[in-house]
Amino acid sequence: TVKLAPEAGLAPVAALIHRLGYRPHALQDDADLEALRKAEQRGDLMRLGVAGACAGNIMLMAVSLYGGASGTLADLFRWVSAALFVPVAAYSAVPFYRSAAGALKARQVNIDVPIVLALALGAAASAFNLLHGSPHLYFDSLAALVFLLLGSRYALRQLQARSARSSQVLQGFFAPVAHRLDGTEARDVPPESLRAGDRARVEHGERLPADGRLLSGATQINAAWLTGESLPVEAREGDRLWAGTVNEGPAFVLEVAEPLAESRLGRILRDLEKDARPALVGLTDRVARHFLFAVLILAAAAFAWFARTAPLEGFNRALSLLIVTCPCALALATPLTFSRSLGRAWRKGYVVKSGEALERLAGVDRVCFDKTGTLTRGELAVRDWVDLEGDPAENRALVLALERDSLHPIARALRHHLRGSGALGLTGREELPGLGVRGRSLGGVAEVRAVPNGDGTATTVGLFLDGRLRAVAALTDQVRPEAARAVRELADLDCRPFILSGDAAAVVARLGAELGLPPAACLASQGPEAKAARVAGGGRTLMVGDGANDALALRQAHVGLAMHGSMDLSLKAADIYLARPDLGAVADLVVLGRETRKVLLRTFAVSIAYNAVGGALALGGWINPLAAAVLMPLSSVSVLLLSAWGTAAMRARFREAP
């Protein structure tokens, strides 16, 4: 994180980044970034190809040397092997040099420091032995080491890039265009160009391009993405409206109060960028740090011990130690394990943006759910229908006729519930914003309007004919069928489930009771800022949400999970995205995170034990550099097998992946 004073420029920052071993780039837009990624990918593939081709040919000649080739042919193979190793060392291994140099400049030791040291000492020893006619050359092992490390890192980057691309499946959140009024004429302009005092026309189904107020008329505004309210709210002349909410009523004119950058959603977006979580130290670095220092110190001590009496013996023991304990297995363990786990998640439709998110999932002990669009479908449906008097078929036909052409979400729910029913002819039909709909039939004046609902857990409307109540319908946001099972599974995993909702207390309490949650775990009237504070306030929390009102909470959480159908803003804040609307994924992902950690710890334990035994043999002089070069790949093979096998729980949970 870099903080600049008002008078400061970016040049010193760029120079500092360059000194740390990285090349800074000025990006104008996403196209520049994509071009850089493609160029980097081409460079990685070229380095990998050179290392693979050279390592393969060096190994072919090494087979002959190990098989007993002698004389002029053996000398030729040794010199050709040395020549083939030059492009590996001078070109393919360059990323390791840069990484190690950057770490050392920052006074740190990363996994690439001992790799570079082993390459340097192994190459120096091989060159020395080549010039003095010794058969002990390690070009084959060193070239193979570079090829394997480059291959594993390239595979992991490709998997992560594919996951990131697959999460960009929704349109941008903000309105794509604004209809600014110049007099009576509407002109399409970018929403960013609107200024305070401008007037813009907002059509049915469009997002509002800025914060402002309704100039005239009335409409219904769907603010679920912003506030979490499951029902559209009525808006009348002079009411305050927010950018990003959706007009679900007739077209109206908006007077801009704040431009897009200064809107409520604009401020939330800035908060997300400001509060971006720093990268956590990787599990590999935490486990390897002390091991790396120990290996380097022991190698130096071994050489120093024999330096006076037998310097060649000291050099061979130190080199054997560095080769046999070369941390390639540790370097492979994390990317291989995370690649396998990320692949398992991807095949089930769970897009996990990084292995770091999987690592954090393992520690989750609390899960907070948004309500609308997460635990519920986010759409109204008729829960109950009661005929109080008259012919039930006639009642349904009257309601269907009244609501046939309405754009209101309640009308859509009633039409869906009454599909298949006949409809009566009406005259003089009119919608009354905020009140309902009215028309005249042969039986008199028919109306559909709201009726009181005592407990507040449902939206209740009634059919009236000449003022007499004939039928009542209760509408609610429907709970996802898998929600109760998901909550139970999380409780069994010792993850305490909570509801954080912007909806009314009665609605949230009813949902909590339906899911078997205690009242203390059902928190209502939670705005975006309140949700973020709750999530950040205690425990290692997994936040599950789907709207812009959840974006701050998703960013503040230990792990953020965006549900299928959520907007782009939430995806930018979340660590995980569900490509399928399945709440059962939450428990799946917690299990995957925990089992991934088990696999990592197991591979680390095997790798460290293997290196400890090999290191002891090297220090004791029981193996020479050639034997160390033969033994070195076995630890990588063991890590590969352990990572691929996973755990029984992981295999059982993801066996049915589509």
Side-chain angles (χ1 to χ4, degrees), residues 2 49 86 108 116 136 170 178 182 187-188 244 323 341 386 428 456 460 484 531 534 563-564 606:
V2 178
V86 171
Q108 296 178 357
V116 170
H136 301 303
L170 302 178
D182 296 332
R187 294 181 55 198
D188 289 349
I323 291 176
S341 295
V386 180
T460 308
K531 286 185 179 183
R534 291 276 186 182
M563 283 288 292
H564 171 78
V606 170

Side-chain angles (χ1 to χ4, degrees), residues 318-404:
L319 183 59
S320 298
L321 177 65
L322 285 174
I323 291 176
V324 78
T325 61
C326 186
C328 56
L330 284 174
L332 287 170
T334 298
L336 283 173
T337 302
F338 282 147
S339 294
R340 293 287 297 178
S341 295
L342 291 170
R344 285 184 169 102
W346 169 252
R347 287 190 294 274
K348 260 204 165 184
Y350 314 153
V351 180
V352 184
K353 292 184 177 178
S354 68
E356 185 181 331
L358 273 180
E359 182 184 344
R360 293 197 301 270
L361 267 174
V364 165
D365 58 13
R366 192 172 71 150
V367 180
C368 291
F369 290 96
D370 174 49
K371 182 186 78 69
T372 305
T374 302
L375 291 170
T376 67
R377 296 185 183 277
E379 297 177 356
L380 284 177
V382 176
R383 187 184 74 193
D384 300 302
W385 177 283
V386 180
D387 290 294
L388 301 177
E389 62 177 55
D391 179 16
E394 182 183 356
N395 291 341
R396 287 166 169 76
L398 276 173
V399 171
L400 191 60
L402 286 166
E403 302 289 10
R404 174 179 291 168

Side-chain angles (χ1 to χ4, degrees), residues 1 75 110 137 153 160 295 300 403 413 424 456 461 464 476 499 526 528 536 553 567 569 590 596 650:
T1 300
D75 290 338
N110 66 5
L137 306 181
R153 295 182 185 186
Q160 291 175 332
V295 168
E403 302 289 10
L424 297 178
V461 296
F464 294 83
T476 59
I499 299 175
Q526 301 289 304
M567 64 177 59
L569 188 57
V590 171
T596 299
M650 188 184 291

